[in-house]
């Protein structure tokens, strides 16, 4: 029974293990910490919504190595991120910036919601007014004309 529980625990915790391989780890703990901090905010271009730190894809490994190379070369954290973004595009960021063309995307969702709520409000208000005006009875002339049209 203990073996079964241990096996289940290992199986369930295995996906939570980080994908960084031992040969990628930098000898300097401070620099490795910086590399981890940067790579947790970079998206794996193969996996959807997974950081390069968590991904087992070959491209994620290449990106992790690239981040570490840039850090060893003396780049700051921002310079490393800018280098990767220049090379792979802004899609590589897990948290895209709210500037430039992305600003349109950040604003479009709330703007469409507000427009849809406005249209819904106007529609419901118009329906309420239509319901308030009850149909009126036909006048004598209209009733006579209707009988004439209907052939009665």
């Amino acid at each position: 029974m203990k073996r079964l529980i241990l096996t289940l625990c290992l199986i369930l915790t295995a996906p939570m293990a980080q994908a960084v391989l031992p040969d990628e780890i930098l000898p300097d703990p401070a620099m490795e910490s910086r590399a981890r901090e940067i790579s947790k905010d970079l998206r794996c271009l193969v996996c959807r919504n997974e950081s390069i730190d968590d991904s087992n894809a070959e491209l994620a490994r290449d990106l992790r190595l690239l981040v570490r190379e840039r850090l060893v070369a003396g780049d700051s954290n921002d310079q490393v991120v800018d280098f990767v973004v220049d090379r792979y595009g802004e899609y590589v960021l897990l948290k895209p910036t709210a500037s430039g063309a992305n600003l349109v995307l950040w604003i479009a969702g709330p703007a469409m919601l507000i427009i849809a709520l406005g249209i819904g409000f106007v529609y419901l208000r118009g329906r309420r007014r239509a319901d308030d005006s009850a149909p009126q009875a036909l006048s004598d002339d209209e009733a006579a004309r209707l009988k004439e049209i209907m052939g009665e």
Side-chain angles (χ1 to χ4, degrees):
M1 183 67 174
K2 287 182 183 180
R3 284 186 136 179
L4 178 64
I5 292 173
L6 180 62
T7 304
L8 284 175
C9 287
L10 288 174
I11 289 172
L12 293 175
T13 58
M16 294 187 310
Q18 302 251 325
V20 178
L21 300 175
D23 65 334
E24 298 174 19
I25 297 175
L26 295 171
D28 181 12
M31 195 152 315
E32 179 61 26
S33 173
R34 285 178 56 202
R36 292 286 179 106
E37 183 180 325
I38 293 169
S39 62
K40 74 175 180 177
D41 292 330
L42 296 177
R43 179 191 320 266
C44 174
L45 300 171
V46 177
C47 313
R48 294 199 175 202
N49 293 329
E50 191 172 10
S51 73
I52 62 171
D53 218 19
D54 299 329
S55 175
N56 289 322
E58 285 296 318
L59 183 58
R61 175 181 162 76
D62 293 342
L63 284 170
R64 288 191 302 265
L65 290 173
L66 177 67
V67 166
R68 284 163 174 77
E69 284 175 18
R70 300 303 303 175
L71 287 175
V72 169
D75 288 355
S76 69
N77 291 9
D78 291 335
Q79 288 173 326
V80 173
V81 171
D82 290 342
F83 180 81
V84 174
V85 169
D86 288 342
R87 195 167 185 185
Y88 293 98
E90 208 166 307
Y91 178 75
V92 79
L93 297 175
L94 275 173
K95 297 174 187 165
T97 59
S99 63
N102 285 342
L103 190 58
V104 173
L105 296 174
W106 282 95
I107 293 173
M112 284 190 266
L113 176 65
I114 290 170
I115 290 169
L117 289 173
I119 291 171
F121 176 75
V122 169
Y123 173 75
L124 291 175
R125 192 170 170 206
R127 268 187 54 187
R128 186 176 305 145
R129 285 187 183 165
D131 290 344
D132 289 345
S133 60
Q136 300 173 357
L138 296 176
S139 67
D140 293 335
D141 291 339
E142 292 171 335
R145 177 75 177 129
L146 180 60
K147 284 183 183 181
E148 179 184 320
I149 291 173
M150 297 298 284
E152 292 180 4

